[in-house]
Amino acid sequence: MARGNAGDVLGAYLRSQATAFLRALRLHAENAGSGADAAEGTDAARSLRGAARRISGSLGTFRAVTESSWADGLRTELVWLSSTLADEHAHAARLVRLLDALHRLSGAAEVPAPRAGAGALTVGSARAGALLERRLTLARTRAHSATLQALGSARFHAVADAVAVLASEVPLDAVAARGRVAEVLVPLAEVAETRLSAAVAALPAAGHEHPYNADHDGLWHEVRRLLRIHRYAREALGEDVTRLRIAGEALDRHRDASEAAAASATAARTPRIAPATAYALGVLHADQRHEAEAARLAFRHVWLPEPAVTAG
């Protein structure tokens, strides 16, 4: 548990994340300007999103310790920024995931062949891959344009300026900031934990989710969001968040697989595609649904490790 009064502890965490934000922003700008390795640019963008999420999440959880009007305004802008930055990466990662899965499935002997013959999946996979590449590359290009537009906007520069100020000075509520961590920050962090616990309790029982039900995805995505907020709150308090990070990674895999399944299903509804292409997309959709179901089970094993849990 972090020591000091609430203002000192929260201020130190927010300043560290603001510094991380500015460092990542500088690296992102340098990579974009120099045409550096794409992986470096991706890492910088990921660090930028991570710092933005940590600041915005902490401002929400510990709003009572800050100047609320300032916190609300900056939090809104950081949510906008992190969402904008995430879109391009999401489309690129989804394409890689789906193409890798198609390659794996087309060479897997256990995948049943359609009536048209054993080679139909291989033929359909090539066409399905080309279709997905066209669709997701177009989506990524649009997201990239939106990112460039956002990073060049006056709105973004205002956000960067606000974070630069935050790196040296955190606007705090004078009374709340003087309180002890255990009396001010811990109860606020517990509110975030209670919301997470309620969301987990609202998930369908494990046995009711087999086979995978896509209608439950929204509930799982909400648990992922609340878990991330809970983890950031515990980080700010200086606690070990290893278990929370592992649980969050399982929910990240669930999000990736469920969205990949949705993308393959959408592609399968493309008018006038060949039957072999539609078949390959159907196999891919089923594969990603299985991955999402496995991720749900992995989360339950981390979060609710009771022996009675047998499916997710």
Side-chain angles (χ1 to χ4, degrees), residues 20-107:
F21 178 98
L22 296 173
R23 185 185 304 116
L25 179 59
R26 183 179 66 253
L27 291 174
H28 188 274
E30 290 173 355
N31 290 328
S34 63
D37 184 80
E40 295 180 2
T42 299
D43 289 343
R46 183 181 297 110
S47 297
L48 188 60
R49 293 196 308 272
R53 288 196 300 261
R54 281 171 168 80
I55 296 170
S56 62
S58 299
L59 292 179
T61 300
F62 302 115
R63 179 178 181 270
V65 188
T66 66
E67 292 184 2
S68 58
S69 60
W70 163 82
D72 291 345
L74 181 56
R75 181 160 59 99
T76 298
E77 294 305 281
L78 288 171
V79 169
W80 159 75
L81 177 61
S82 60
S83 176
T84 300
L85 292 174
D87 283 346
E88 180 181 359
H89 168 73
H91 291 303
R94 194 168 303 139
L95 177 60
V96 171
R97 180 187 186 92
L98 289 169
L99 293 183
D100 286 349
L102 277 172
H103 178 73
R104 168 173 50 81
L105 292 167
S106 62

Coordinates of all heavy atoms in Angstrom, one line a residue, residues 20-107:
A20 N 4.8 9.5 -18.9 CA 4.8 8.4 -19.8 C 4.1 8.7 -21.1 O 4.5 8.3 -22.2 CB 4.2 7.1 -19.2
F21 N 3.0 9.4 -21.0 CA 2.2 9.9 -22.1 C 3.1 10.8 -23.0 O 3.1 10.6 -24.3 CB 1.0 10.7 -21.6 CG 0.1 11.2 -22.7 CD1 -1.0 10.5 -23.1 CD2 0.4 12.4 -23.3 CE1 -1.9 11.1 -24.1 CE2 -0.4 13.0 -24.3 CZ -1.5 12.3 -24.7
L22 N 3.7 11.7 -22.4 CA 4.5 12.7 -23.2 C 5.7 12.0 -23.9 O 6.1 12.3 -25.0 CB 5.0 13.8 -22.3 CG 3.9 14.7 -21.7 CD1 4.5 15.7 -20.7 CD2 3.1 15.4 -22.8
R23 N 6.3 11.0 -23.2 CA 7.4 10.3 -23.7 C 7.0 9.5 -24.9 O 7.6 9.5 -26.0 CB 8.0 9.4 -22.7 CG 9.3 8.6 -23.2 CD 9.8 7.6 -22.1 NE 10.0 8.3 -20.8 CZ 9.3 8.0 -19.7 NH1 8.3 7.1 -19.7 NH2 9.6 8.6 -18.6
A24 N 5.8 8.8 -24.8 CA 5.3 8.0 -25.9 C 4.9 8.9 -27.1 O 5.1 8.5 -28.2 CB 4.1 7.2 -25.4
L25 N 4.4 10.0 -26.8 CA 4.0 11.0 -27.8 C 5.2 11.4 -28.6 O 5.1 11.5 -29.9 CB 3.3 12.2 -27.2 CG 2.8 13.3 -28.2 CD1 1.8 12.7 -29.2 CD2 2.1 14.4 -27.4
R26 N 6.3 11.7 -27.9 CA 7.5 12.1 -28.6 C 8.0 11.0 -29.5 O 8.4 11.2 -30.7 CB 8.6 12.5 -27.6 CG 9.9 13.0 -28.3 CD 10.9 13.4 -27.2 NE 11.4 12.3 -26.4 CZ 11.1 12.1 -25.2 NH1 10.3 12.9 -24.5 NH2 11.6 11.0 -24.6
L27 N 8.0 9.8 -29.0 CA 8.5 8.6 -29.8 C 7.6 8.4 -31.0 O 8.1 8.1 -32.1 CB 8.6 7.4 -28.9 CG 9.6 7.4 -27.8 CD1 9.5 6.1 -27.0 CD2 11.0 7.4 -28.4
H28 N 6.3 8.5 -30.8 CA 5.3 8.3 -31.9 C 5.6 9.3 -33.0 O 5.6 9.0 -34.2 CB 3.9 8.5 -31.3 CG 2.9 8.1 -32.3 ND1 2.3 9.0 -33.2 CD2 2.2 6.9 -32.5 CE1 1.4 8.4 -34.0 NE2 1.3 7.1 -33.6
A29 N 5.8 10.6 -32.6 CA 6.1 11.7 -33.6 C 7.4 11.4 -34.3 O 7.5 11.6 -35.5 CB 6.1 13.0 -32.9
E30 N 8.4 11.0 -33.6 CA 9.7 10.7 -34.2 C 9.6 9.6 -35.2 O 10.2 9.6 -36.3 CB 10.7 10.4 -33.1 CG 11.1 11.6 -32.3 CD 12.0 11.2 -31.1 OE1 12.3 10.0 -30.9 OE2 12.5 12.2 -30.4
N31 N 8.9 8.5 -34.8 CA 8.8 7.3 -35.7 C 8.0 7.7 -37.0 O 8.3 7.3 -38.1 CB 8.1 6.2 -35.0 CG 9.0 5.6 -33.9 OD1 10.3 5.6 -34.1 ND2 8.5 5.1 -32.8
A32 N 6.9 8.5 -36.8 CA 6.1 8.9 -37.9 C 6.9 9.8 -38.9 O 6.8 9.7 -40.1 CB 4.9 9.6 -37.4
G33 N 7.7 10.7 -38.3 CA 8.5 11.6 -39.1 C 9.7 11.0 -39.8 O 10.1 11.4 -40.9
S34 N 10.3 9.9 -39.3 CA 11.5 9.3 -39.8 C 11.2 8.1 -40.6 O 12.1 7.5 -41.2 CB 12.4 9.0 -38.7 OG 11.8 8.0 -37.8
G35 N 9.9 7.6 -40.6 CA 9.6 6.4 -41.4 C 10.3 5.2 -40.7 O 10.7 4.2 -41.4
A36 N 10.4 5.2 -39.4 CA 11.1 4.1 -38.6 C 10.3 2.8 -38.7 O 9.2 2.7 -39.3 CB 11.2 4.5 -37.2
D37 N 10.8 1.8 -38.1 CA 10.2 0.5 -38.2 C 8.8 0.5 -37.6 O 8.5 1.2 -36.6 CB 11.0 -0.5 -37.3 CG 10.5 -1.9 -37.3 OD1 10.8 -2.6 -38.3 OD2 9.7 -2.3 -36.4
A38 N 7.9 -0.2 -38.3 CA 6.5 -0.1 -38.0 C 6.2 -0.6 -36.5 O 5.3 -0.1 -35.8 CB 5.6 -0.9 -38.9
A39 N 7.0 -1.6 -36.1 CA 6.9 -2.1 -34.8 C 7.1 -1.1 -33.7 O 6.4 -1.0 -32.7 CB 7.8 -3.3 -34.5
E40 N 8.1 -0.2 -34.0 CA 8.4 0.8 -33.0 C 7.3 1.8 -32.9 O 6.9 2.3 -31.8 CB 9.7 1.6 -33.4 CG 10.9 0.7 -33.3 CD 12.2 1.4 -33.7 OE1 12.1 2.6 -34.0 OE2 13.3 0.8 -33.7
G41 N 6.7 2.2 -34.1 CA 5.5 3.1 -34.1 C 4.3 2.5 -33.4 O 3.6 3.1 -32.6
T42 N 4.2 1.1 -33.5 CA 3.1 0.4 -32.9 C 3.3 0.4 -31.4 O 2.3 0.7 -30.6 CB 3.0 -1.0 -33.4 OG1 2.7 -1.0 -34.8 CG2 1.8 -1.7 -32.7
D43 N 4.5 0.2 -30.9 CA 4.8 0.2 -29.5 C 4.6 1.6 -28.9 O 4.1 1.7 -27.8 CB 6.3 -0.2 -29.3 CG 6.5 -1.7 -29.5 OD1 5.5 -2.4 -29.6 OD2 7.7 -2.1 -29.7
A44 N 5.0 2.6 -29.6 CA 4.8 4.0 -29.1 C 3.3 4.3 -29.0 O 2.9 4.9 -28.0 CB 5.5 5.0 -30.0
A45 N 2.5 3.9 -30.0 CA 1.1 4.2 -30.0 C 0.4 3.4 -28.8 O -0.5 3.9 -28.1 CB 0.4 3.8 -31.3
R46 N 0.9 2.1 -28.6 CA 0.4 1.3 -27.5 C 0.7 2.0 -26.1 O -0.2 2.1 -25.3 CB 0.9 -0.1 -27.5 CG 0.4 -1.0 -26.5 CD 1.0 -2.4 -26.5 NE 0.7 -3.1 -27.8 CZ 1.6 -3.3 -28.7 NH1 2.9 -2.9 -28.5 NH2 1.3 -3.9 -29.8
S47 N 1.9 2.5 -26.0 CA 2.3 3.2 -24.7 C 1.5 4.4 -24.5 O 1.1 4.8 -23.4 CB 3.8 3.5 -24.8 OG 4.5 2.3 -24.8
L48 N 1.2 5.1 -25.6 CA 0.4 6.4 -25.6 C -1.0 6.1 -25.1 O -1.6 6.7 -24.3 CB 0.4 7.0 -26.9 CG -0.2 8.4 -27.1 CD1 0.5 9.4 -26.1 CD2 -0.1 8.9 -28.5
R49 N -1.6 5.0 -25.7 CA -3.0 4.6 -25.3 C -3.0 4.2 -23.9 O -3.9 4.5 -23.1 CB -3.5 3.5 -26.2 CG -3.7 3.8 -27.7 CD -4.6 2.8 -28.3 NE -4.1 1.4 -28.2 CZ -3.2 0.8 -29.0 NH1 -2.7 1.5 -30.0 NH2 -2.8 -0.4 -28.7
G50 N -2.0 3.4 -23.5 CA -1.9 2.9 -22.1 C -1.9 4.0 -21.1 O -2.6 4.0 -20.1
A51 N -1.0 5.0 -21.3 CA -0.9 6.1 -20.4 C -2.2 6.9 -20.4 O -2.7 7.4 -19.3 CB 0.2 7.0 -20.8
A52 N -2.8 7.1 -21.6 CA -4.1 7.9 -21.6 C -5.2 7.2 -20.9 O -6.0 7.8 -20.1 CB -4.5 8.1 -23.1
R53 N -5.3 5.8 -21.0 CA -6.3 5.1 -20.3 C -6.1 5.1 -18.8 O -7.0 5.2 -18.0 CB -6.3 3.6 -20.8 CG -6.9 3.4 -22.1 CD -7.2 2.0 -22.4 NE -6.0 1.1 -22.3 CZ -5.3 0.7 -23.3 NH1 -5.6 1.1 -24.5 NH2 -4.3 -0.1 -23.1
R54 N -4.8 5.0 -18.4 CA -4.5 5.1 -16.9 C -4.9 6.4 -16.3 O -5.4 6.5 -15.2 CB -3.1 4.8 -16.7 CG -2.7 3.3 -16.8 CD -1.3 3.0 -16.7 NE -1.0 1.6 -16.5 CZ -1.0 0.7 -17.5 NH1 -1.3 1.0 -18.7 NH2 -0.8 -0.6 -17.2
I55 N -4.6 7.5 -17.0 CA -4.9 8.8 -16.5 C -6.5 9.0 -16.5 O -7.0 9.4 -15.4 CB -4.3 9.9 -17.4 CG1 -2.8 9.9 -17.3 CG2 -4.8 11.3 -16.9 CD1 -2.1 10.8 -18.3
S56 N -7.1 8.6 -17.6 CA -8.6 8.8 -17.6 C -9.3 7.9 -16.6 O -10.2 8.3 -15.9 CB -9.1 8.6 -19.0 OG -8.9 7.2 -19.4
G57 N -8.8 6.7 -16.4 CA -9.4 5.8 -15.5 C -9.2 6.3 -14.1 O -10.2 6.2 -13.2
S58 N -8.0 6.8 -13.8 CA -7.8 7.3 -12.4 C -8.6 8.5 -12.1 O -9.0 8.7 -11.0 CB -6.3 7.5 -12.2 OG -5.5 6.3 -12.4
L59 N -8.7 9.4 -13.1 CA -9.5 10.6 -12.9 C -11.0 10.2 -12.6 O -11.7 11.0 -11.9 CB -9.4 11.5 -14.1 CG -8.0 12.2 -14.3 CD1 -8.0 13.0 -15.6 CD2 -7.6 13.0 -13.1
G60 N -11.5 9.1 -13.2 CA -12.8 8.7 -12.9 C -13.0 8.1 -11.6 O -13.9 8.5 -10.8
T61 N -12.1 7.2 -11.2 CA -12.1 6.5 -9.9 C -11.9 7.5 -8.8 O -12.7 7.4 -7.8 CB -11.1 5.4 -9.8 OG1 -11.3 4.5 -10.9 CG2 -11.1 4.7 -8.5
F62 N -10.9 8.4 -8.9 CA -10.6 9.2 -7.8 C -11.0 10.7 -8.0 O -10.4 11.6 -7.6 CB -9.1 9.2 -7.6 CG -8.6 7.8 -7.3 CD1 -7.7 7.1 -8.1 CD2 -9.0 7.1 -6.1 CE1 -7.2 5.9 -7.9 CE2 -8.5 5.8 -5.8 CZ -7.6 5.2 -6.7
R63 N -12.1 10.8 -8.7 CA -12.6 12.2 -9.1 C -12.8 13.1 -7.9 O -12.5 14.3 -7.9 CB -14.0 12.0 -9.8 CG -14.6 13.3 -10.3 CD -15.9 13.0 -11.0 NE -16.6 14.2 -11.5 CZ -17.5 14.9 -10.8 NH1 -17.8 14.4 -9.5 NH2 -18.0 15.9 -11.2
A64 N -13.2 12.5 -6.8 CA -13.5 13.3 -5.6 C -12.2 13.9 -5.0 O -12.3 14.9 -4.2 CB -14.1 12.4 -4.5
V65 N -11.1 13.5 -5.4 CA -9.8 14.0 -4.8 C -9.3 15.1 -5.7 O -8.3 15.8 -5.3 CB -8.8 12.9 -4.6 CG1 -7.5 13.4 -3.9 CG2 -9.4 11.7 -3.9
T66 N -9.8 15.2 -6.9 CA -9.3 16.2 -7.9 C -10.3 17.4 -8.0 O -11.4 17.4 -7.4 CB -9.2 15.6 -9.2 OG1 -10.5 15.2 -9.7 CG2 -8.3 14.4 -9.2
E67 N -9.9 18.4 -8.7 CA -10.9 19.4 -9.1 C -11.8 18.8 -10.2 O -11.4 18.6 -11.3 CB -10.2 20.6 -9.7 CG -9.4 21.4 -8.6 CD -8.7 22.7 -9.2 OE1 -8.9 23.0 -10.4 OE2 -8.0 23.3 -8.5
S68 N -13.0 18.5 -9.8 CA -13.9 17.7 -10.6 C -14.1 18.2 -12.1 O -14.2 17.4 -13.0 CB -15.2 17.5 -9.9 OG -15.9 18.7 -9.7
S69 N -14.3 19.5 -12.2 CA -14.6 20.0 -13.6 C -13.4 19.8 -14.5 O -13.5 19.4 -15.7 CB -15.0 21.5 -13.5 OG -13.9 22.2 -13.0
W70 N -12.2 20.0 -14.0 CA -11.0 19.8 -14.7 C -10.9 18.3 -15.0 O -10.6 17.9 -16.2 CB -9.8 20.2 -13.9 CG -8.5 19.7 -14.4 CD1 -7.7 20.1 -15.5 CD2 -7.8 18.5 -13.9 NE1 -6.6 19.3 -15.7 CE2 -6.6 18.3 -14.7 CE3 -8.1 17.6 -12.9 CZ2 -5.7 17.3 -14.5 CZ3 -7.2 16.6 -12.7 CH2 -6.0 16.4 -13.5
A71 N -11.1 17.4 -14.1 CA -10.9 16.0 -14.2 C -11.9 15.5 -15.3 O -11.6 14.7 -16.1 CB -11.1 15.3 -12.9
D72 N -13.2 15.9 -15.2 CA -14.2 15.5 -16.2 C -13.8 15.8 -17.6 O -14.0 15.0 -18.5 CB -15.5 16.0 -15.8 CG -16.1 15.5 -14.5 OD1 -15.6 14.5 -14.0 OD2 -17.0 16.1 -13.9
G73 N -13.4 17.1 -17.8 CA -13.0 17.5 -19.1 C -11.8 16.7 -19.7 O -11.9 16.3 -20.9
L74 N -10.8 16.6 -18.9 CA -9.6 15.9 -19.4 C -9.9 14.4 -19.6 O -9.5 13.8 -20.6 CB -8.4 16.0 -18.4 CG -7.1 15.3 -18.8 CD1 -6.7 15.8 -20.2 CD2 -6.1 15.6 -17.8
R75 N -10.7 13.8 -18.8 CA -11.0 12.4 -18.9 C -11.8 12.1 -20.2 O -11.5 11.2 -21.0 CB -11.9 11.9 -17.7 CG -12.2 10.4 -17.8 CD -12.6 10.0 -16.4 NE -13.8 10.7 -15.8 CZ -15.0 10.3 -15.9 NH1 -15.3 9.1 -16.4 NH2 -16.0 11.0 -15.3
T76 N -12.7 13.0 -20.5 CA -13.5 12.9 -21.8 C -12.6 12.9 -23.0 O -12.7 12.1 -23.9 CB -14.5 14.0 -21.9 OG1 -15.5 13.9 -20.8 CG2 -15.3 13.9 -23.2
E77 N -11.6 13.8 -23.0 CA -10.7 14.0 -24.1 C -9.8 12.8 -24.2 O -9.4 12.4 -25.3 CB -9.9 15.3 -24.0 CG -10.8 16.6 -24.1 CD -11.6 16.6 -25.4 OE1 -11.1 16.9 -26.4 OE2 -12.8 16.2 -25.3
L78 N -9.3 12.3 -23.1 CA -8.4 11.2 -23.2 C -9.1 9.9 -23.6 O -8.5 9.1 -24.3 CB -7.8 10.9 -21.8 CG -6.7 12.0 -21.4 CD1 -6.3 11.8 -19.9 CD2 -5.5 11.9 -22.3
V79 N -10.4 9.7 -23.3 CA -11.1 8.6 -23.8 C -11.3 8.7 -25.3 O -11.1 7.7 -26.0 CB -12.5 8.5 -23.1 CG1 -13.4 7.5 -23.8 CG2 -12.4 8.2 -21.6
W80 N -11.6 9.9 -25.8 CA -11.7 10.1 -27.2 C -10.3 9.8 -27.9 O -10.3 9.1 -28.9 CB -12.0 11.6 -27.5 CG -11.7 12.0 -28.9 CD1 -12.3 11.7 -30.1 CD2 -10.5 12.8 -29.3 NE1 -11.7 12.2 -31.2 CE2 -10.6 12.9 -30.7 CE3 -9.5 13.4 -28.6 CZ2 -9.6 13.7 -31.4 CZ3 -8.6 14.2 -29.3 CH2 -8.6 14.3 -30.7
L81 N -9.2 10.2 -27.4 CA -7.9 10.0 -28.0 C -7.6 8.5 -28.0 O -7.1 8.0 -29.0 CB -6.9 10.8 -27.2 CG -5.4 10.6 -27.7 CD1 -5.3 11.0 -29.2 CD2 -4.5 11.4 -26.8
S82 N -7.7 7.8 -26.9 CA -7.3 6.4 -26.8 C -8.2 5.6 -27.7 O -7.7 4.6 -28.4 CB -7.4 5.9 -25.4 OG -8.7 6.0 -24.8
S83 N -9.5 5.9 -27.8 CA -10.3 5.2 -28.7 C -9.9 5.4 -30.2 O -9.9 4.5 -31.0 CB -11.8 5.6 -28.5 OG -12.6 5.0 -29.5
T84 N -9.6 6.6 -30.5 CA -9.2 6.9 -31.9 C -7.9 6.2 -32.3 O -7.8 5.6 -33.3 CB -9.0 8.5 -32.1 OG1 -10.2 9.1 -31.8 CG2 -8.5 8.8 -33.5
L85 N -6.9 6.2 -31.3 CA -5.6 5.6 -31.6 C -5.8 4.0 -31.7 O -5.0 3.4 -32.4 CB -4.7 5.9 -30.5 CG -4.2 7.4 -30.4 CD1 -3.3 7.6 -29.2 CD2 -3.4 7.7 -31.7
A86 N -6.8 3.5 -31.0 CA -6.9 2.0 -30.9 C -7.5 1.5 -32.2 O -7.2 0.3 -32.5 CB -7.8 1.6 -29.8
D87 N -8.3 2.2 -33.0 CA -9.0 1.7 -34.1 C -8.0 1.1 -35.2 O -8.2 0.0 -35.7 CB -9.8 2.7 -34.8 CG -11.1 3.0 -34.0 OD1 -11.4 2.1 -33.1 OD2 -11.8 4.0 -34.2
E88 N -7.0 1.8 -35.5 CA -6.1 1.4 -36.6 C -5.4 0.1 -36.2 O -5.3 -0.9 -36.9 CB -5.0 2.4 -36.9 CG -4.0 2.0 -38.0 CD -3.0 3.1 -38.3 OE1 -3.0 4.2 -37.7 OE2 -2.1 2.8 -39.1
H89 N -4.9 0.1 -34.9 CA -4.2 -1.2 -34.4 C -5.2 -2.3 -34.4 O -4.8 -3.5 -34.8 CB -3.7 -0.9 -33.0 CG -3.2 -2.2 -32.3 ND1 -2.1 -2.8 -32.7 CD2 -3.8 -2.9 -31.3 CE1 -2.0 -3.9 -31.9 NE2 -3.0 -4.0 -31.1
A90 N -6.4 -2.1 -34.0 CA -7.4 -3.2 -33.9 C -7.7 -3.8 -35.3 O -7.7 -5.1 -35.4 CB -8.7 -2.6 -33.3
H91 N -7.8 -3.0 -36.3 CA -8.1 -3.6 -37.7 C -6.9 -4.4 -38.2 O -7.0 -5.4 -38.8 CB -8.4 -2.4 -38.7 CG -9.7 -1.8 -38.4 ND1 -10.9 -2.5 -38.4 CD2 -10.1 -0.5 -38.2 CE1 -11.9 -1.7 -38.1 NE2 -11.4 -0.5 -38.0
A92 N -5.6 -3.8 -37.9 CA -4.4 -4.5 -38.4 C -4.3 -5.8 -37.6 O -4.0 -6.9 -38.2 CB -3.2 -3.6 -38.1
A93 N -4.5 -5.8 -36.3 CA -4.3 -7.1 -35.5 C -5.4 -8.1 -35.9 O -5.1 -9.3 -35.9 CB -4.4 -6.7 -34.0
R94 N -6.6 -7.6 -36.2 CA -7.7 -8.5 -36.5 C -7.4 -9.2 -37.9 O -7.6 -10.5 -38.0 CB -9.0 -7.8 -36.7 CG -10.2 -8.6 -36.7 CD -11.5 -7.8 -36.5 NE -11.3 -7.0 -35.3 CZ -11.7 -5.8 -35.1 NH1 -12.2 -5.1 -36.2 NH2 -11.6 -5.2 -33.9
L95 N -6.8 -8.5 -38.8 CA -6.5 -9.1 -40.1 C -5.4 -10.2 -39.9 O -5.5 -11.3 -40.5 CB -6.0 -8.0 -41.1 CG -5.5 -8.6 -42.4 CD1 -6.6 -9.3 -43.2 CD2 -5.0 -7.4 -43.3
V96 N -4.3 -9.9 -39.2 CA -3.3 -10.8 -38.9 C -3.9 -12.1 -38.2 O -3.5 -13.2 -38.6 CB -2.2 -10.2 -38.1 CG1 -1.2 -11.3 -37.6 CG2 -1.4 -9.1 -38.8
R97 N -4.7 -11.9 -37.3 CA -5.3 -13.0 -36.5 C -6.1 -13.9 -37.5 O -6.0 -15.1 -37.4 CB -6.2 -12.4 -35.4 CG -6.9 -13.5 -34.6 CD -7.9 -12.9 -33.6 NE -8.4 -13.9 -32.7 CZ -7.9 -14.3 -31.5 NH1 -6.8 -13.6 -31.1 NH2 -8.4 -15.2 -30.8
L98 N -6.9 -13.3 -38.3 CA -7.8 -14.1 -39.2 C -7.0 -14.8 -40.3 O -7.3 -16.0 -40.6 CB -8.9 -13.2 -39.8 CG -9.9 -12.7 -38.8 CD1 -10.8 -11.6 -39.4 CD2 -10.8 -13.8 -38.4
L99 N -6.0 -14.1 -40.8 CA -5.2 -14.8 -41.9 C -4.4 -15.9 -41.3 O -4.3 -17.0 -41.9 CB -4.3 -13.8 -42.5 CG -5.0 -12.7 -43.4 CD1 -4.0 -11.8 -44.1 CD2 -5.9 -13.3 -44.4
D100 N -3.8 -15.7 -40.1 CA -3.1 -16.8 -39.4 C -4.0 -18.0 -39.1 O -3.6 -19.2 -39.3 CB -2.5 -16.3 -38.1 CG -1.3 -15.4 -38.3 OD1 -0.8 -15.4 -39.5 OD2 -0.8 -14.8 -37.4
A101 N -5.3 -17.7 -38.7 CA -6.2 -18.8 -38.4 C -6.6 -19.5 -39.7 O -6.7 -20.8 -39.7 CB -7.4 -18.2 -37.7
L102 N -6.8 -18.8 -40.8 CA -7.1 -19.5 -42.0 C -6.0 -20.4 -42.5 O -6.2 -21.5 -43.0 CB -7.4 -18.4 -43.1 CG -8.8 -17.8 -43.2 CD1 -8.8 -16.6 -44.1 CD2 -9.8 -18.9 -43.5
H103 N -4.8 -19.9 -42.3 CA -3.6 -20.7 -42.7 C -3.6 -22.0 -41.9 O -3.3 -23.1 -42.4 CB -2.3 -19.9 -42.5 CG -1.1 -20.7 -42.9 ND1 -0.7 -21.0 -44.2 CD2 -0.1 -21.2 -42.0 CE1 0.4 -21.7 -44.1 NE2 0.8 -21.8 -42.9
R104 N -3.8 -21.8 -40.6 CA -3.8 -23.0 -39.7 C -4.9 -24.0 -40.0 O -4.7 -25.2 -40.1 CB -3.9 -22.5 -38.2 CG -4.2 -23.6 -37.2 CD -4.1 -23.1 -35.8 NE -4.9 -21.9 -35.6 CZ -6.2 -21.9 -35.4 NH1 -6.8 -23.0 -35.3 NH2 -6.8 -20.8 -35.2
L105 N -6.1 -23.5 -40.2 CA -7.2 -24.3 -40.5 C -7.2 -25.0 -41.8 O -7.6 -26.2 -41.9 CB -8.5 -23.5 -40.4 CG -8.9 -22.9 -39.0 CD1 -10.0 -21.9 -39.1 CD2 -9.3 -24.1 -38.1
S106 N -6.7 -24.4 -42.8 CA -6.6 -25.0 -44.2 C -5.7 -26.1 -44.2 O -5.8 -27.0 -45.1 CB -6.3 -23.9 -45.2 OG -5.0 -23.4 -45.0
G107 N -4.7 -26.2 -43.2 CA -3.8 -27.3 -43.2 C -4.1 -28.3 -42.1 O -3.3 -29.2 -41.9

